[in-house]
Amino acid sequence: MPKARPSRKTGPAAGSVGTLVPATLVFCATVVAYLPALSGGFIWNDSDYVTGPKLRSLAGLARIWTEPGAVQQYYPLLHSAFWVQHGLWGDRAIGYHLVSVLLHAGSAVLFGFVVRRLVEEDDGAAAARPPDDRPGRYAGTGWVAALLFALHPVHVQSVAWISEQKNTLSLGFYLGAALVYLRFDQSRRFRTYVAATALFVLSLACKTMTATLPAALLVIFWWKRGRLDGRREVLPLLPWFALGIATGLFSSWMEQNYLGAQGEDFSLTVPERVLVAGRATWFYAGNALWPAGLNFVYPRWTVDAGVWWQWLYPLGVLGVGAALWGLRRRTRAPLAAFLLFVGSLFPVLGFVNLYGAFYSWVWDHWQYPPDLGLLALVAAGLTAGWRSVMPPTRWMGYGAVAALAALLGAFTWSHCRIFHDDETLYLSTLALNPDCRMAHNNLGMVWSRMPGRMTDAIAEFEAALRLDPDNPGTHNNMGNALAQTPGRLDDAIVHLKMALHLRPDFPVAHNNLGNALAQSPARYGEAIGHFRAALRLQPDYVLCWYNLGVCLFNSGDLSAAEAAFQEVLRLSPGHPHALRALDVLAQRSGRR
């Protein structure tokens, strides 16, 4: 079979039909597969990412960049993107979903260009590759890899969940930086290096998991050339390593100090963290190669260094690495894909504390960038396989890829539906993970806001407390639900006091306990004490100021009630209930 003619074009050049048509097909197929995501709403913690009222001004935009803690995670470019989007479509979820889908589709196309450049185009390094890695055998690999990445259902969590726009946005800059740096590797032009560095910095400003890019580039250069040149390949990437390490450490500090990724649930020994890493690696590889049973939250398995079989996971990872190392003289591609996969996963393998590990050691959105290397290897295997078939029947290879793409697209279409709303999300999660304490608690919160579902909500809170009896948030939610249930006020007060026992600095529990106590005129004084305690912890707690005003009004302290309602208006101008209350107070005093 004649070899494919090498090309010396760099990057996504040219508007040749051979490039434009497959890129368009990948982009359009992605959009079609994710159409169900466009009808979804906001779920779980999306409100922490979509720009809140306090940050919607220009001063708020400045705070996003200059004030760590103004938003949950210090990803200033990501939150600036949310700031712009809120200015365009406000609280309409479809706008955010559309941006995420388009970003994912664009990243898939960029991935196609990156792989195409690496395995299909002659950049002067082809002679250094082992025989099985020569370019001609893999023509078409780039677009197959792009299609696999675009339509793989394990990536739905990154695309259909608005909070994870940090994944889709950061990956675009990540792949753009890689593509430009590969061009720099050939041209050695300083301006190209600056452009690549700028793109890398932008990716870090969206999500610091992209800090693994310089290591990934070194793996790629080793795969292409069989060695690494310290001056040519390592030295230019040292500033990138420094940036990645610095931002990664800062992000880890933010996770612990602002998100709460610390405490008993994160107090693992070094051997236990190794066990988590080994098992998580196999889990992610399994989901990438056989995406069955995908879920929003997976069971958080028990880690025990004294259980011998748990050591089979990390030992298995080392064994695979050793086997691929032994195979490197025949082909370096499998070892390179292995190193890219495991290396890109490193930030989420449990060696550093991440808040998401409070619920599960593994999440689908954590394998979004790491899948690139593994899927590139699968794509190379598919294209090499069909090109080894005799030319008269080679169309069967294209048909097989099309069938695989259709199957993955169908799974993606179906999986998008569980992200439609909170109720659907938590019911779907519990169907596969019935011991998910977070899903029980959050489903209870959803049902507690629905007419006629309070009994069901209380049952969900009870299930969550059976799984996690010392969770102050669940005790608070249970108490709040019981306080709205006739005849259960005493039980409500017990749960709310338990929430404060477990977490004394819990302003919401103080507020809810104040509301429960205020149902009895004899306990107005105690209720007012809890409202004031909440406000000492959170002075801008608008709802608590209003509740305090109502309680003071009912207790007869009208001047103090008026001051509380005035504070509500200061914090929330035009607050209708506070205006109405002040009008009543004015009429009582004979004022206008």
Side-chain angles (χ1 to χ4, degrees):
M1 183 179 71
K3 291 185 178 180
R5 184 178 180 182
S7 166
R8 294 189 178 274
K9 295 176 183 177
T10 57
S16 68
V17 174
T19 297
L20 183 61
V21 170
T24 303
L25 287 174
V26 169
F27 191 92
C28 292
T30 308
V31 173
V32 170
Y34 278 95
L35 284 177
L38 300 182
S39 63
F42 298 108
I43 59 171
W44 193 22
N45 66 341
D46 284 342
S47 59
D48 295 327
Y49 287 85
V50 174
T51 310
K54 296 179 183 179
L55 299 175
R56 291 172 185 169
S57 63
L58 286 173
L61 179 61
R63 288 182 60 197
I64 287 171
W65 284 88
T66 61
E67 184 182 325
V71 287
Q72 276 199 347
Q73 294 173 300
Y74 185 71
Y75 297 150
L77 186 58
L78 168 72
H79 287 283
S80 297
F82 278 124
W83 187 89
V84 171
Q85 290 173 72
H86 191 276
L88 293 173
W89 37 75
D91 293 326
R92 293 184 291 276
I94 187 173
Y96 302 94
H97 282 301
L98 181 60
V99 168
S100 293
V101 171
L102 294 178
L103 286 171
H104 177 62
S107 292
V109 172
L110 270 177
F111 179 45
F113 283 128
V114 171
V115 176
R116 180 172 178 265
R117 179 182 181 90
L118 290 173
V119 303
E120 297 176 42
E121 298 182 354
D122 179 14
D123 61 359
R129 295 194 185 103
D132 285 353
D133 287 347
R134 293 296 171 86
R137 192 181 178 195
Y138 300 102
T141 296
W143 301 120
V144 175
L147 206 56
L148 294 178
F149 178 79
L151 302 179
H152 201 296
V154 80
H155 301 146
V156 169
Q157 189 175 98
S158 294
V159 183
W161 184 8
I162 291 172
S163 294
E164 287 308 313
Q165 199 174 106
K166 54 191 171 188
N167 260 356
T168 54
L169 183 60
S170 64
L171 187 66
F173 290 119
Y174 174 99
L175 291 168
L179 197 59
V180 176
Y181 193 88
L182 291 174
R183 185 179 301 167
F184 161 75
D185 182 60
Q186 294 302 306
S187 69
R188 314 308 289 181
R189 292 177 180 169
F190 181 70
R191 63 183 182 184
T192 308
Y193 176 81
V194 171
T197 303
L199 289 169
F200 178 57
V201 171
L202 293 176
S203 74
L204 292 172
C206 298
K207 188 173 184 179
T208 51
M209 192 173 174
T210 58
T212 58
L213 177 57
L217 288 169
L218 290 182
V219 171
I220 289 170
F221 293 143
W222 171 81
W223 164 69
K224 287 163 67 74
R225 295 156 187 164
R227 58 180 180 79
L228 286 176
D229 183 292
R231 183 179 180 83
R232 177 183 177 85
E233 291 152 355
V234 178
L235 187 61
L237 288 172
L238 290 181
W240 287 32
F241 276 105
L243 280 171
I245 292 170
T247 55
L249 290 174
F250 179 72
S251 181
S252 176
W253 180 82
M254 289 285 294
E255 289 272 341
Q256 295 181 51
N257 292 277
Y258 285 88
L259 289 179
Q262 54 185 325
E264 184 178 350
D265 289 290
F266 298 91
S267 57
L268 300 179
T269 64
V270 172
E272 288 171 338
R273 291 181 185 273
V274 171
L275 292 178
V276 170
R279 189 165 178 175
T281 300
W282 284 107
F283 178 89
Y284 289 126
N287 271 2
L289 299 175
W290 188 258
L294 299 179
N295 203 2
F296 181 61
V297 182
Y298 298 99
R300 191 180 193 264
W301 62 77
T302 301
V303 183
D304 188 346
V307 178
W308 68 269
W309 58 263
Q310 293 194 18
W311 287 98
L312 296 178
Y313 291 105
L315 290 174
V317 173
L318 292 175
V320 169
L324 296 179
W325 174 259
L327 190 65
R328 74 190 186 284
R329 296 189 184 279
R330 180 177 178 184
T331 173
R332 294 188 294 272
L335 179 57
F338 171 84
L339 293 173
L340 289 171
F341 182 66
V342 177
S344 298
L345 279 174
F346 182 82
V348 297
L349 288 180
F351 295 110
V352 296
N353 292 351
L354 299 175
Y355 180 71
F358 178 76
Y359 303 105
S360 176
W361 299 119
V362 289
W363 290 80
D364 285 351
H365 66 271
W366 284 351
Q367 70 177 94
Y368 186 66
D371 281 348
L372 295 172
L374 201 57
L375 294 179
L377 180 66
V378 172
L382 290 173
T383 53
W386 93 53
R387 289 190 176 278
S388 66
V389 178
M390 295 298 291
T393 57
R394 191 179 295 169
W395 61 270
M396 294 176 62
Y398 295 96
V401 171
L404 178 59
L407 182 63
L408 291 174
F411 283 142
T412 290
W413 177 288
S414 177
H415 195 42
C416 281
R417 293 174 177 172
I418 79 166
F419 294 88
H420 184 269
D421 56 69
D422 277 333
E423 185 179 20
T424 304
L425 180 69
Y426 300 132
L427 286 171
S428 301
T429 299
L430 290 170
L432 295 175
N433 183 11
D435 290 336
C436 181
R437 55 190 178 180
M438 180 269 280
H440 281 296
N441 177 70
N442 290 5
L443 182 59
M445 293 176 66
V446 171
W447 280 346
S448 69
R449 295 190 289 265
M450 293 184 178
R453 301 301 300 268
M454 191 62 76
T455 301
D456 296 327
I458 291 171
E460 291 300 321
F461 293 138
E462 289 173 342
L465 287 172
R466 282 194 297 271
L467 295 165
D468 187 10
D470 295 329
N471 190 301
T474 308
H475 278 289
N476 171 70
N477 295 334
M478 172 67 95
N480 200 33
L482 291 171
Q484 301 172 54
T485 304
R488 303 296 302 274
L489 184 58
D490 289 341
D491 294 332
I493 291 172
V494 169
H495 280 283
L496 291 167
K497 286 185 174 180
M498 177 59 72
L500 289 171
H501 172 72
L502 294 167
R503 181 183 163 191
D505 59 339
F506 195 172
V508 176
H510 276 295
N511 175 69
N512 289 339
L513 180 55
N515 279 336
L517 293 168
Q519 293 187 37
S520 172
R523 307 187 78 170
Y524 280 160
E526 193 177 350
I528 290 169
H530 281 287
F531 290 135
R532 294 199 183 280
L535 292 170
R536 283 194 295 272
L537 293 166
Q538 187 177 331
D540 60 350
Y541 194 168
V542 174
L543 179 60
C544 189
W545 276 110
Y546 178 77
N547 291 336
L548 173 62
V550 171
C551 192
L552 289 167
F553 179 89
N554 290 334
S555 68
D557 192 346
L558 301 187
S559 60
E562 182 175 359
F565 293 133
Q566 292 287 3
E567 185 65 18
V568 173
L569 289 179
R570 187 185 72 81
L571 294 168
S572 179
H575 192 287
H577 299 300
L579 287 170
R580 190 175 301 114
L582 287 170
D583 184 55
V584 172
L585 284 168
Q587 291 179 31
R588 284 205 174 190
S589 64
R591 291 182 285 117
R592 191 168 180 139

